[in-house]
Structures are given as C-alpha cells and as structure tokens.
C-alpha cells in the first residue's frame, strides 16, 4: 500500500508538472487549457507540498488578471491560443474600463485564494510574498461587498452559473428555465470534443450561459447594470460560505502583517447575521440558495448544503441535522444502499440526479475536500476521515480524473486533472483540520 501510494504521489507530481505552462497550471491538458480561479488556489496548495516557490507563482499568475476595481476573474487566458470555448475575445472585456490589460473572462469564481495563501504562508512563511499579495486579496474581498451585495445583507450574489464553479448544478435549473436566449452570437462548444456530451451540461444550458455573457458584454461589465439587468441573480450558499471562510483567513493574514482588521470583522459580522436567516430551511433541515429575481429560496438539495460547515456557519443543531438527516440518509447522500462513495454532488432523491453528468451526481474531489474540512471543523471526525478515505480511494483506484461515478467509481470527465492531483497530495500529506480560525 505504501509503495503504491508513493508511486501515486510521484504520478500526482508528474501531472502537476506536465500541466504547468511556465508560470501557471492548466486544470487539464486538453479540456481546460488556461488558468482558472479556484483551481489555481487548490493547485497552489498541492504544488506547495513539493515546490512552494512554484505555488507562489501560481497565485501571482492568477492575480495578474485582477480587474482594476478588485475582481479576480474566473479565467486568466495568459495569451495562449486554444480551442477552448469561450475564447478570450468572446468576452469583449475591452468594453469595460475596469478590465486589466491581461486577457481574462468578465466574471469571477469561488474565492478560495485567501485561504490558500494562508495555508501556504503557515507552511512556508514568506513575508515579502505575503506583503505583496495581501492588498490584492483585500481589494478582491472589498469588491465583493461593494459590487455584489445586491440587498445590503452582507451576502454576495452571483450573476452566472460559471461563477458558482458548479455550472450545471440542479440549483440553477429553475432560474435558467426562465431565461429565453435571444440574439445568440454564433458559437461552437468545444467541451464535448474530449468528454462525452452525456457527462457535460446540456445544449440548452450552454445557450443560456452564452446568452448571459452576451448581456454582460452589452452592459459593458458595468457593475450596477449587471445587478439590475442580469436575469440570473442568486445568493449561493456554497459561494458565501467559501467567502466567509476566506474572510476568516484574510483576517488572520492581516493580523500576521499587523494591518487593521475592522473592515473584515464588519463583513464577517454582517454575513454571519444574515446567513442562517436567509438560507436555513428549518423544515427541510438544510441550507437553500436564494433566487433574488424571484424573491424565493431554491428548494433543491445538493452537496453545497454541507459547505457552511467549512466556515463554522452552521449551529451545532444545524450541523447535526445536516449530518444525520442528509449525509447519512440512505436515499439522499448516505453510502450503503445505492451510493458507494461519499459525497454525491446532488441528493439522490432529487428527480434530476444523474450519476454521470457533471455537477448533477458524480463525486468531485474539490467538493469532498471542502466538505471533509467542514466536517472536521464541526467535530465529525469519523465522517471527515471517511470522506477523505473515499476521495483517496477513488483517485488512487480510478485515476486522476475530474469526477467519478458515486457507485461504480468509474472515472469521468477530463483525465490528468490538476486539482485531483493537488488534492491527492493534500489529503495524503496535509493536515486535515484547517489552521485554527484565530491562529
Ligand atoms: C468547469 O467550468 C468551466 C467553465 O468555467 C467549463 O466547464 O468549461 C467547472 O468545473 C469549474 O468549477 C472549474 O473551475 C473549471 C476548470 O476546472 O471547469
């Protein structure tokens, strides 16, 4: 076992090395040939296990795409031609005075970066690096509260499913169904060239993704107009939990640097006060996302319900219900009857659950890692260890794929996937618990 694992450690490193494009890492060689935001954060954590300097470069490369008012975009293209759709030109970011000189998309992604920097700094301290990135992380977090707090609650909203990172999550189905794609610019999907269409978002969803980008281009990425005009306007439980956790980590970095923390404390207080009120459904015993356009909760259960544990945003009672009534429930997320591996991305009880389609059912290493950290933080050590064990078993036995069938373990999506390699290293060699919130 130890030998096999050693070989797999080397394989993980080899994948991360092969996916390096000089200063940054692509998520996978063919399917995703640029740099993605939350992938970069996870990849930096994995790479730091053998090359902290390269991990720091990963962070800096992502920040090179930062917009003038602070947004860190979901893709940084790094001037590389590719067949990926959408290519850089499709975003028409030149319509905005806020866009940077580098080639980027015009939306953002889950803000794991401050947490990754804190991990990096704790394990391999580098004061110059921290002083260089801290103001940029702070600017991004400020941007969220200045430009994405649509209702003054302190919670931030998303304007595109791509921002959630869980693109075709059933959470977004009803909101997307209301959209009527019109005047679509011509486009050709590239994602189904390397991966089976049955494992990817549907054509109807892609039309809506493109429709939204088209609206944002026309609005010149003007923040006020985006909030006023985007028909997709949601408060995402998972995203807000990740942001809250990132604020906690940013505060710890500020303390290390002896910088003021009042502003960050203010965000934490506002988000903490609104989170349960807005998202918790007492009857269902879980957190629901919120559709701001329709003014109602989105009654769909996906693995996003467990992510608040990462940020300590669930009370003990709420955590107990999440774990007891959902994680262990035989028809929902529980292992045993139908499901063999924790954690399917969508409750098996949802009518739209699909074992092999993208964010509709397969097990994703990144989500498992966040859930595992959350379970550990909430004191569910046994469950945390089992989620960790399942993730390592899936990657170790099926390969470094993007996602996995929750029953058979069949590898799905793109192969030689960077964050699966990074998380292999982290889950094997990293500490399971987060650095304590108040280090
Ligand atoms: C997936 O998303 C991109 C669009 O951003 C795509 O499907 O083309 C998602 O899994 C997302 O979370 C991830 O960051 C990205 C790269 O791994 O791929």
């Amino acid at each position: 076992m130890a030998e096999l694992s050693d070989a797999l450690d080397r394989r993980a490193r080899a994948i991360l090395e092969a996916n390096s494009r000089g200063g940054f890492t692509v998520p996978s060689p063919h399917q995703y040939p640029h740099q993605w935001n939350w992938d970069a954060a996870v990849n930096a954590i994995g790479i730091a296990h053998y090359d902290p300097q390269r991990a720091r470069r990963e962070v800096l490369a992502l920040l090179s795409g930062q917009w003038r008012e602070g947004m860190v975009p979901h893709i940084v293209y790094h001037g590389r031609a590719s067949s990926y759709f959408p290519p850089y030109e499709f975003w028409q970011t030149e319509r905005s005075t806020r866009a940077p000189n580098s080639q980027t998309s015009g939306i953002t992604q889950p803000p794991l970066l401050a947490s990754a920097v804190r991990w990096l700094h704790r394990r391999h301290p580098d004061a110059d690096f921290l002083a260089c990135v801290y103001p940029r992380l702070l600017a991004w977090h400020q941007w969220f509260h200045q430009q994405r707090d649509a209702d003054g609650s302190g919670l931030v909203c998303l304007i595109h499913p791509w921002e959630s990172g869980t693109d075709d999550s059933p959470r977004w189905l009803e909101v997307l169904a209301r959209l009527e794609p019109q005047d679509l610019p011509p486009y050709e999907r590239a994602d189904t060239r390397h991966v089976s269409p049955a494992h990817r978002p549907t054509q109807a969803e892609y039309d809506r993704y493109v429709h939204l980008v088209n609206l944002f281009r026309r609005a010149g990425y003007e923040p006020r107009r985006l909030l006023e005009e985007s028909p997709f306007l949601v408060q995402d439980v998972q995203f807000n939990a990740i942001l809250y956790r990132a604020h906690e980590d940013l505060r710890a970095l500020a303390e290390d640097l002896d910088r003021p923390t009042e502003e960050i404390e203010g965000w934490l207080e506002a988000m903490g006060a609104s989170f349960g009120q807005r998202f918790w459904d007492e009857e269902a015993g879980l957190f629901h996302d919120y559709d701001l356009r329709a003014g109602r909760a989105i009654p769909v259960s996906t693995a996003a319900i467990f992510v608040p544990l990462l940020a300590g945003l669930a009370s003990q009672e709420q955590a107990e219900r999440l774990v007891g009534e959902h994680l262990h429930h035989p028809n929902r997320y529980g292992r045993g009857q139908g499901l063999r591996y924790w954690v399917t991305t969508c409750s098996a009880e949802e009518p739209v659950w699909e074992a092999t389609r993208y964010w509709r059912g397969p097990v994703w290493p990144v989500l498992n890692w966040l859930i595992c950290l959350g379970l550990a933080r909430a004191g569910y050590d046994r469950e945390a260890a089992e989620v960790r064990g399942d993730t390592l078993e899936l990657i170790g036995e099926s390969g470094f794929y993007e996602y996995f069938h929750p029953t058979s373990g069949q590898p799905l999506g793109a192969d030689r996937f960077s964050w699966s390699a990074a998380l292999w290293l982290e889950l094997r060699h990293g500490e399971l618990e987060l650095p304590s919130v108040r280090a």
Side-chain angles (χ1 to χ4, degrees):
M1 185 62 187
E3 252 173 52
L4 173 74
S5 296
D6 288 346
L8 285 167
D9 283 352
R10 285 197 296 276
R11 173 89 184 117
R13 280 202 285 273
I15 288 170
L16 288 164
E17 288 308 298
N19 289 349
S20 166
R21 298 290 176 271
F24 72 99
T25 309
V26 296
S28 74
H30 302 296
Q31 185 82 342
Y32 306 108
H34 303 282
Q35 189 184 30
W36 266 257
N37 188 322
W38 69 328
D39 297 65
V42 176
N43 292 340
I45 291 172
I47 291 165
H49 282 285
Y50 64 95
D51 189 349
Q53 197 48 29
R54 201 190 128 199
R56 292 186 197 104
R57 282 203 300 276
E58 188 72 34
V59 173
L60 293 172
L62 181 68
L63 288 171
S64 74
Q66 186 161 32
W67 282 40
R68 293 186 210 290
E69 64 199 352
M71 180 180 82
V72 180
H74 103 289
I75 305 175
V76 184
Y77 287 82
H78 291 296
R80 296 178 63 84
S82 80
S83 58
Y84 180 75
F85 176 82
Y88 157 63
E89 299 75 27
F90 194 81
W91 292 94
Q92 300 180 358
T93 54
E94 66 282 2
R95 290 180 184 230
S96 169
T97 51
R98 296 170 164 83
N101 294 328
S102 42
Q103 302 184 347
T104 77
S105 68
I107 55 173
T108 193
Q109 244 195 348
L112 276 177
L113 198 63
S115 302
V117 168
R118 182 162 180 226
W119 251 277
L120 247 164
H121 188 66
R122 266 175 64 102
R123 291 172 180 176
H124 311 280
D126 181 331
D128 291 342
F129 172 72
L130 188 58
C132 163
V133 298
Y134 177 79
R136 296 152 89 173
L137 294 171
L138 180 66
W140 187 20
H141 288 216
Q142 283 167 336
W143 172 85
F144 276 119
H145 290 284
Q146 285 159 7
Q147 312 293 4
R148 288 299 184 84
D149 180 353
D151 60 357
S153 64
L155 301 171
V156 303
C157 63
L158 307 186
I159 57 172
H160 196 294
W162 282 337
E163 292 199 316
S164 73
T166 58
D167 310 351
D168 75 335
S169 172
R171 302 185 283 157
W172 316 139
L173 273 174
E174 197 189 299
V175 188
L176 292 178
R178 286 203 307 268
L179 267 67
E180 284 175 29
Q182 277 160 3
D183 310 328
L184 281 188
Y187 79 97
E188 199 182 325
R189 287 176 69 168
D191 59 306
T192 45
R193 272 186 222 157
H194 308 290
V195 173
S196 160
H199 303 164
R200 291 285 307 174
T202 62
Q203 189 55 42
E205 275 161 322
Y206 255 80
D207 281 352
R208 282 157 180 78
Y209 300 159
V210 168
H211 173 69
L212 287 168
V213 172
N214 200 24
L215 289 179
F216 305 159
R217 303 195 306 201
R218 290 185 183 157
Y221 297 96
E222 211 276 295
R224 192 183 41 80
R225 284 190 62 187
L226 295 180
L227 291 199
E228 278 169 16
E229 295 173 23
S230 176
F232 184 95
L233 198 72
V234 302
Q235 287 167 331
D236 170 350
V237 166
Q238 177 173 307
F239 197 102
N240 276 281
I242 289 173
L243 179 62
Y244 187 96
R245 172 71 228 180
H247 284 338
E248 291 181 319
D249 289 315
L250 192 71
R251 177 178 60 190
L253 293 174
E255 284 167 352
D256 279 354
L257 286 166
D258 218 9
R259 305 276 168 96
T261 56
E262 290 76 12
E263 188 179 19
I264 306 173
E265 301 282 1
W267 299 329
L268 285 167
E269 210 176 297
M271 292 183 85
S274 301
F275 197 91
Q277 242 177 338
R278 164 94 333 156
F279 296 133
W280 181 254
D281 180 329
E282 181 59 25
E283 206 187 315
L286 49 69
F287 295 101
H288 278 143
D289 307 283
Y290 194 80
D291 178 350
L292 281 165
R293 281 279 170 261
R296 58 170 182 258
I298 302 173
V300 176
S301 171
T302 70
I305 63 171
F306 304 114
V307 180
L309 300 173
L310 172 79
L313 279 163
S315 67
Q316 219 178 332
E317 232 170 84
Q318 290 170 340
E320 198 53 48
R321 292 194 66 187
L322 288 170
V323 174
E325 296 174 27
H326 300 279
L327 190 63
H328 281 292
H329 192 294
N331 302 333
R332 296 177 178 160
Y333 299 89
R335 298 183 304 177
Q337 291 190 350
L339 304 169
R340 174 158 167 224
Y341 297 98
W342 260 337
V343 178
T344 178
T345 33
C346 169
S347 163
E349 215 171 50
E350 292 289 346
V352 290
W353 180 83
E354 275 187 76
T356 54
R357 197 185 291 280
Y358 213 35
W359 294 94
R360 294 251 169 104
V363 177
W364 283 74
V366 69
L367 210 48
N368 267 17
W369 172 62
L370 296 175
I371 292 171
C372 180
L373 291 168
L375 287 166
R377 179 170 178 171
Y380 294 92
D381 292 347
R382 184 174 65 81
E383 283 81 359
E386 288 183 23
V387 173
R388 176 176 173 273
D390 279 7
T391 316
L392 288 171
E393 187 180 324
L394 281 169
I395 299 173
E397 313 242 312
S398 301
F400 292 86
Y401 277 79
E402 192 177 5
Y403 41 97
F404 303 89
H405 192 295
T407 305
S408 68
Q410 176 199 350
L412 298 163
D415 187 10
R416 289 171 284 162
F417 211 80
S418 292
W419 71 15
S420 300
L423 288 172
W424 170 268
L425 295 177
E426 173 61 16
L427 287 169
R428 264 188 46 84
H429 303 289
E431 68 223 24
L432 188 54
E433 71 282 9
L434 287 162
S436 66
V437 174
R438 282 287 197 183

